[in-house]
Each structure stands twice: as structure tokens, then as C-alpha cells.
Coordinates of all heavy atoms in Angstrom, one line a residue:
M23 N 0.8 -1.2 0.0 CA 0.0 0.0 0.0 C 0.9 1.3 0.0 O 0.4 2.3 -0.4 CB -0.9 0.0 1.2 CG -2.0 0.9 1.2 SD -3.5 0.0 0.7 CE -4.6 1.3 0.6
G24 N 2.1 1.1 0.5 CA 3.0 2.3 0.6 C 3.7 2.6 -0.7 O 4.5 3.5 -0.8
E25 N 3.5 1.8 -1.8 CA 4.2 2.0 -3.0 C 3.6 3.1 -3.8 O 2.4 3.3 -3.8 CB 4.1 0.7 -3.9 CG 4.9 -0.5 -3.3 CD 4.7 -1.7 -4.2 OE1 4.5 -1.5 -5.4 OE2 4.9 -2.8 -3.7
L26 N 4.4 3.9 -4.5 CA 4.0 5.0 -5.3 C 4.0 4.5 -6.7 O 5.0 4.0 -7.2 CB 4.9 6.2 -5.1 CG 4.6 7.4 -6.0 CD1 3.3 8.0 -5.5 CD2 5.7 8.5 -5.8
I27 N 2.9 4.6 -7.4 CA 2.8 4.1 -8.8 C 2.9 5.3 -9.7 O 2.1 6.3 -9.5 CB 1.4 3.4 -9.0 CG1 1.3 2.2 -8.1 CG2 1.3 3.0 -10.4 CD1 -0.1 1.6 -8.1
K28 N 3.9 5.3 -10.6 CA 4.1 6.4 -11.5 C 3.6 5.9 -12.9 O 3.9 4.9 -13.3 CB 5.5 6.8 -11.6 CG 6.0 7.4 -10.3 CD 7.5 7.9 -10.5 CE 8.0 8.5 -9.2 NZ 9.3 9.1 -9.3
I29 N 2.8 6.8 -13.5 CA 2.3 6.5 -14.8 C 2.8 7.6 -15.7 O 2.7 8.7 -15.5 CB 0.7 6.5 -14.8 CG1 0.2 5.4 -13.9 CG2 0.2 6.3 -16.2 CD1 -1.3 5.5 -13.7
K30 N 3.4 7.1 -16.8 CA 3.9 8.0 -17.8 C 2.7 8.5 -18.7 O 2.1 7.7 -19.3 CB 5.0 7.4 -18.7 CG 5.6 8.3 -19.6 CD 6.8 7.7 -20.3 CE 7.5 8.7 -21.2 NZ 8.7 8.2 -21.9
N31 N 2.5 9.8 -18.7 CA 1.4 10.3 -19.4 C 1.9 11.0 -20.7 O 2.4 12.1 -20.6 CB 0.6 11.3 -18.5 CG -0.7 11.8 -19.2 OD1 -0.9 11.6 -20.4 ND2 -1.6 12.4 -18.4
S32 N 1.9 10.3 -21.8 CA 2.4 10.9 -23.0 C 1.6 12.0 -23.5 O 2.1 12.9 -24.2 CB 2.5 9.8 -24.1 OG 1.2 9.3 -24.4
S33 N 0.3 12.1 -23.2 CA -0.5 13.2 -23.6 C 0.0 14.5 -22.9 O 0.0 15.6 -23.6 CB -1.9 13.0 -23.2 OG -2.4 11.9 -23.9
Y34 N 0.4 14.4 -21.7 CA 0.9 15.6 -21.0 C 2.2 16.1 -21.6 O 2.4 17.3 -21.8 CB 1.1 15.4 -19.5 CG 1.6 16.6 -18.8 CD1 0.7 17.6 -18.4 CD2 3.0 16.7 -18.5 CE1 1.2 18.7 -17.8 CE2 3.4 17.9 -17.8 CZ 2.5 18.9 -17.5 OH 3.0 20.0 -16.9
E35 N 3.1 15.1 -22.0 CA 4.3 15.5 -22.6 C 4.1 16.2 -23.9 O 4.7 17.2 -24.3 CB 5.2 14.3 -22.8 CG 5.8 13.7 -21.5 CD 6.6 12.4 -21.8 OE1 6.7 12.0 -22.9 OE2 7.0 11.8 -20.8
R36 N 3.1 15.7 -24.7 CA 2.8 16.3 -26.0 C 2.2 17.7 -25.7 O 2.6 18.7 -26.5 CB 1.8 15.4 -26.7 CG 1.3 16.0 -28.0 CD 2.4 15.9 -29.1 NE 1.8 16.3 -30.3 CZ 2.5 17.0 -31.2 NH1 3.7 17.3 -31.0 NH2 1.9 17.4 -32.3
Y37 N 1.4 17.9 -24.7 CA 0.8 19.2 -24.4 C 1.9 20.2 -24.0 O 1.9 21.3 -24.5 CB -0.2 19.0 -23.2 CG -0.8 20.2 -22.7 CD1 -1.7 20.9 -23.5 CD2 -0.5 20.7 -21.4 CE1 -2.3 22.1 -23.0 CE2 -1.0 21.9 -21.0 CZ -2.0 22.6 -21.7 OH -2.5 23.7 -21.2
E38 N 2.8 19.7 -23.2 CA 3.9 20.6 -22.8 C 4.8 21.0 -24.0 O 5.2 22.2 -24.1 CB 4.8 19.9 -21.8 CG 5.9 20.7 -21.2 CD 6.7 20.0 -20.1 OE1 6.7 18.7 -20.1 OE2 7.3 20.7 -19.3
E39 N 5.0 20.0 -24.9 CA 5.8 20.3 -26.1 C 5.1 21.4 -27.0 O 5.7 22.3 -27.5 CB 6.0 19.0 -26.9 CG 6.7 19.2 -28.2 CD 6.6 17.9 -29.1 OE1 6.6 16.9 -28.5 OE2 6.6 18.1 -30.3
L40 N 3.8 21.2 -27.1 CA 3.0 22.2 -27.9 C 3.0 23.5 -27.3 O 3.0 24.6 -28.0 CB 1.6 21.6 -28.2 CG 1.5 20.4 -29.1 CD1 0.1 19.9 -29.1 CD2 2.0 20.7 -30.5
L41 N 2.9 23.6 -26.0 CA 2.9 24.9 -25.3 C 4.2 25.6 -25.5 O 4.3 26.8 -25.8 CB 2.7 24.8 -23.8 CG 1.2 24.5 -23.4 CD1 1.2 24.3 -21.9 CD2 0.3 25.6 -23.8
L42 N 5.3 24.9 -25.5 CA 6.6 25.5 -25.7 C 6.8 26.0 -27.1 O 7.3 27.0 -27.4 CB 7.7 24.5 -25.3 CG 7.9 24.2 -23.8 CD1 8.9 23.0 -23.6 CD2 8.2 25.4 -23.0
R43 N 6.3 25.2 -28.1 CA 6.3 25.6 -29.5 C 5.5 26.8 -29.7 O 5.9 27.7 -30.4 CB 5.8 24.4 -30.4 CG 6.9 23.5 -30.8 CD 6.4 22.4 -31.8 NE 5.7 23.0 -33.0 CZ 5.0 22.2 -33.7 NH1 4.7 21.0 -33.5 NH2 4.4 22.8 -34.8
R44 N 4.3 26.9 -29.1 CA 3.4 28.0 -29.2 C 4.2 29.3 -28.7 O 4.1 30.3 -29.3 CB 2.1 27.8 -28.4 CG 1.2 29.0 -28.6 CD 0.1 29.0 -27.5 NE 0.8 29.3 -26.2 CZ 0.2 29.4 -25.1 NH1 -1.1 29.3 -25.1 NH2 0.8 29.6 -24.0
D45 N 4.8 29.2 -27.5 CA 5.5 30.3 -27.0 C 6.6 30.8 -27.9 O 6.8 32.0 -28.1 CB 6.1 29.9 -25.6 CG 5.0 29.8 -24.5 OD1 3.9 30.2 -24.8 OD2 5.4 29.2 -23.5
D46 N 7.4 29.8 -28.5 CA 8.4 30.2 -29.5 C 7.8 30.9 -30.7 O 8.4 31.9 -31.2 CB 9.2 29.0 -29.9 CG 10.1 28.4 -28.8 OD1 10.4 29.1 -27.8 OD2 10.5 27.2 -28.9
I47 N 6.7 30.4 -31.2 CA 6.1 31.0 -32.4 C 5.6 32.4 -32.0 O 5.7 33.3 -32.9 CB 5.0 30.1 -32.9 CG1 5.6 28.8 -33.5 CG2 4.1 30.8 -33.9 CD1 4.7 27.7 -33.8
V48 N 5.0 32.6 -30.9 CA 4.5 33.9 -30.5 C 5.7 34.9 -30.4 O 5.6 36.0 -30.9 CB 3.8 33.9 -29.1 CG1 3.5 35.2 -28.6 CG2 2.4 33.1 -29.3
K49 N 6.8 34.5 -29.8 CA 8.0 35.3 -29.7 C 8.5 35.7 -31.1 O 8.9 36.9 -31.4 CB 9.1 34.6 -28.9 CG 8.9 34.6 -27.5 CD 10.0 33.8 -26.8 CE 9.7 33.5 -25.3 NZ 10.8 32.7 -24.7
E50 N 8.6 34.7 -32.0 CA 9.0 34.9 -33.3 C 8.1 35.9 -34.1 O 8.5 36.8 -34.8 CB 9.1 33.6 -34.1 CG 9.7 33.8 -35.5 CD 9.8 32.5 -36.3 OE1 9.4 31.4 -35.7 OE2 10.2 32.5 -37.4
G51 N 6.8 35.8 -33.8 CA 5.8 36.7 -34.4 C 6.0 38.1 -34.0 O 6.0 39.0 -34.9
Y52 N 6.3 38.3 -32.7 CA 6.6 39.7 -32.3 C 7.8 40.2 -32.9 O 7.9 41.4 -33.3 CB 6.7 39.7 -30.7 CG 5.4 39.6 -30.0 CD1 5.3 38.7 -28.9 CD2 4.3 40.3 -30.4 CE1 4.2 38.6 -28.2 CE2 3.1 40.1 -29.7 CZ 3.0 39.2 -28.6 OH 1.9 39.1 -27.9
Q53 N 8.9 39.4 -33.0 CA 10.1 39.9 -33.6 C 9.9 40.2 -35.1 O 10.4 41.2 -35.6 CB 11.2 38.8 -33.5 CG 11.6 38.6 -32.1 CD 12.5 37.4 -31.9 OE1 12.7 36.6 -32.8 NE2 13.1 37.2 -30.7
L54 N 9.1 39.4 -35.8 CA 8.9 39.7 -37.2 C 8.0 40.9 -37.4 O 8.2 41.7 -38.3 CB 8.2 38.5 -37.9 CG 9.0 37.2 -38.0 CD1 8.2 36.0 -38.5 CD2 10.2 37.5 -39.0
E55 N 7.1 41.1 -36.5 CA 6.3 42.4 -36.5 C 7.1 43.6 -36.3 O 6.9 44.6 -37.1 CB 5.2 42.3 -35.5 CG 4.2 43.4 -35.5 CD 3.1 43.3 -34.5 OE1 3.1 42.4 -33.7 OE2 2.1 44.1 -34.6
I56 N 8.0 43.5 -35.4 CA 9.0 44.7 -35.2 C 9.8 44.9 -36.4 O 10.0 46.1 -36.9 CB 9.8 44.4 -33.9 CG1 8.9 44.5 -32.7 CG2 11.0 45.4 -33.9 CD1 9.6 44.0 -31.4
E57 N 10.3 43.8 -37.0 CA 11.2 44.0 -38.2 C 10.4 44.5 -39.4 O 10.8 45.4 -40.1 CB 11.8 42.6 -38.6 CG 12.7 42.6 -39.8 CD 14.0 43.4 -39.6 OE1 14.3 43.7 -38.4 OE2 14.6 43.7 -40.6
Y58 N 9.1 44.1 -39.5 CA 8.2 44.6 -40.6 C 8.0 46.1 -40.4 O 8.1 46.8 -41.4 CB 6.9 43.8 -40.5 CG 5.9 44.3 -41.5 CD1 5.9 43.9 -42.8 CD2 4.9 45.3 -41.1 CE1 4.9 44.4 -43.7 CE2 4.0 45.7 -42.0 CZ 4.0 45.3 -43.3 OH 3.0 45.8 -44.2
S59 N 7.8 46.5 -39.2 CA 7.5 47.9 -38.9 C 8.8 48.7 -39.2 O 8.7 49.8 -39.7 CB 7.1 48.1 -37.5 OG 5.8 47.5 -37.2
R60 N 9.9 48.2 -38.9 CA 11.2 48.9 -39.1 C 11.4 49.0 -40.6 O 11.8 50.1 -41.1 CB 12.4 48.1 -38.5 CG 13.7 48.8 -38.5 CD 14.8 48.0 -38.0 NE 15.1 46.9 -38.9 CZ 15.8 46.9 -40.1 NH1 16.2 48.1 -40.5 NH2 16.0 45.8 -40.8
V61 N 11.2 48.0 -41.4 CA 11.5 48.0 -42.8 C 10.4 48.8 -43.6 O 10.7 49.7 -44.4 CB 11.6 46.6 -43.4 CG1 11.7 46.6 -44.9 CG2 12.7 45.9 -42.7
F62 N 9.1 48.6 -43.3 CA 8.1 49.2 -44.1 C 7.3 50.4 -43.4 O 6.5 51.0 -44.0 CB 7.1 48.1 -44.5 CG 7.6 47.1 -45.4 CD1 7.9 45.8 -44.9 CD2 7.9 47.3 -46.7 CE1 8.4 44.8 -45.7 CE2 8.5 46.3 -47.5 CZ 8.7 45.1 -47.0
G63 N 7.7 50.7 -42.2 CA 7.0 51.7 -41.4 C 6.9 53.0 -42.2 O 5.8 53.6 -42.3
E64 N 8.0 53.5 -42.6 CA 8.1 54.8 -43.3 C 7.3 54.8 -44.6 O 6.6 55.8 -44.9 CB 9.5 55.3 -43.5 CG 10.2 55.6 -42.3 CD 11.7 56.1 -42.6 OE1 11.9 56.5 -43.7 OE2 12.5 56.0 -41.6
L65 N 7.3 53.7 -45.3 CA 6.6 53.6 -46.6 C 5.1 53.6 -46.3 O 4.3 54.2 -47.1 CB 7.0 52.3 -47.3 CG 8.4 52.3 -47.8 CD1 8.7 50.9 -48.4 CD2 8.6 53.3 -48.9
I66 N 4.7 52.9 -45.3 CA 3.2 52.9 -44.9 C 2.7 54.2 -44.5 O 1.7 54.7 -45.0 CB 3.0 51.8 -43.8 CG1 3.2 50.4 -44.3 CG2 1.6 51.9 -43.2 CD1 3.3 49.4 -43.2
I67 N 3.5 55.0 -43.8 CA 3.2 56.3 -43.4 C 3.1 57.2 -44.6 O 2.2 58.1 -44.7 CB 4.2 56.9 -42.3 CG1 4.0 56.1 -41.0 CG2 4.0 58.3 -42.1 CD1 5.0 56.4 -40.0
A68 N 4.0 57.1 -45.5 CA 4.1 57.9 -46.7 C 2.8 57.7 -47.6 O 2.3 58.6 -48.2 CB 5.3 57.6 -47.5
V69 N 2.3 56.4 -47.6 CA 1.2 56.1 -48.4 C -0.1 56.8 -47.8 O -0.9 57.3 -48.6 CB 0.9 54.6 -48.5 CG1 -0.4 54.3 -49.1 CG2 2.0 54.0 -49.3
F70 N -0.2 56.9 -46.5 CA -1.3 57.5 -45.9 C -1.0 59.0 -45.7 O -1.8 59.8 -45.4 CB -1.7 56.8 -44.6 CG -2.2 55.5 -44.9 CD1 -1.5 54.3 -44.6 CD2 -3.5 55.3 -45.4 CE1 -2.0 53.1 -44.8 CE2 -4.0 54.0 -45.6 CZ -3.3 52.9 -45.3

């Protein structure tokens, strides 16, 4: 009764992996948005 039973939950590992990938993609998206604004910002302002 005192034994601890450990169950490997592969679904949780997959969930954790997907959360980390999502975080990386969100960071990359912010970096790309900043780069886009830097490159095209003046042209967009000039058009309007």
C-alpha cells in the first residue's frame, strides 16, 4: 500500500511540447512584426 505508482502520461508531454512551441512562435511573431515595422513603417506612413 505504501508503493507509489508512477504512470507516464504521453499526452501531458505532448501538451507541454506544444505549449513550448506556441511560446516560441509567439516570440518569433513579435520579432517579425517589429522587423516589418522597421522596414516598411516609413513607406506605410508615406502612403497615408
Side-chain angles (χ1 to χ4, degrees):
M23 195 98 185
E25 294 181 23
L26 180 62
I27 300 173
K28 293 185 179 182
I29 298 173
K30 186 172 181 175
N31 188 344
S32 62
S33 296
Y34 181 79
E35 289 176 3
R36 178 73 174 139
Y37 176 70
E38 186 178 23
E39 175 189 332
L40 291 173
L41 284 177
L42 292 172
R43 271 184 54 199
R44 183 198 65 178
D45 290 346
D46 288 343
I47 290 170
V48 168
K49 286 179 191 176
E50 183 180 0
Y52 288 135
Q53 291 171 351
L54 290 172
E55 186 177 5
I56 290 169
E57 181 67 13
Y58 175 85
S59 296
R60 187 186 67 76
V61 171
F62 295 108
E64 291 182 21
L65 293 173
I66 293 171
I67 291 171
V69 167
F70 291 106

